[in-house]
Amino acid sequence: GNGLAGVSSDFKAAVASSSIDVTAILAAFDSAARLGVPKEEIDTAWGVLRTEMTARLKSAAATADASPGNTAIKGLASMIHSSHKLGVGETDLASAREVYRKQLENAKTLNDMGYVVAIVSNAFDARVEVD
């Protein structure tokens, strides 16, 4: 059907952004439900969104793993946070968190205190405990 037409521009803008606006995405789904969009269509849209989020999460993890740095680790933390809020599978989240933890261990080993600070300061968003 055509039910998502009313929210599709907001939804597409929220998903297309390089920083994911979880609030806007959840609001778009809520609006779709309130407008009477069939549950099957909403479920399909959630599936598409989670597939996209999983791909972005894996990409952010690969980037942080291959090219460690403050920008990559902040991007990974943000993507873990958004992916968690939007229901990405726990296996993919766990893999991304493992990359995050590995970056912390590498930074400690290299005594790169600037990178350690960046990792620790973004750990809450990544839902990773640090010690």
Side-chain angles (χ1 to χ4, degrees), residues 54-130:
T54 299
R56 288 185 185 201
L57 178 63
K58 288 178 178 179
S59 175
T63 297
D65 198 32
S67 304
N70 294 2
T71 301
I73 206 67
K74 184 172 177 51
L76 178 56
S78 176
M79 193 54 61
I80 291 170
H81 179 79
S82 297
S83 296
H84 172 80
K85 292 281 190 187
L86 295 172
V88 167
E90 193 52 46
T91 300
D92 294 311
L93 286 165
S95 294
R97 288 186 186 112
E98 188 53 39
V99 170
Y100 197 93
R101 283 186 202 92
K102 185 176 119 184
Q103 292 305 310
L104 177 59
E105 294 310 312
N106 290 346
K108 286 179 181 177
T109 299
L110 296 171
N111 204 26
D112 184 344
M113 287 303 113
Y115 193 40
V116 170
V117 168
I119 294 168
V120 171
S121 67
N122 288 287
F124 179 78
D125 277 348
R127 292 176 154 61
V128 172
E129 291 187 24
V130 294

Side-chain angles (χ1 to χ4, degrees), residues 23-37:
T23 303
I25 291 170
L26 294 175
F29 277 103
D30 184 54
S31 293
R34 284 187 284 113
L35 290 169
V37 174

Side-chain angles (χ1 to χ4, degrees), residues 7-22 24-25 28 56:
V7 293
S8 65
S9 62
D10 290 341
F11 177 77
K12 287 177 185 172
V15 174
S17 172
S18 60
S19 72
I20 304 301
D21 187 342
V22 172
I25 291 170
R56 288 185 185 201

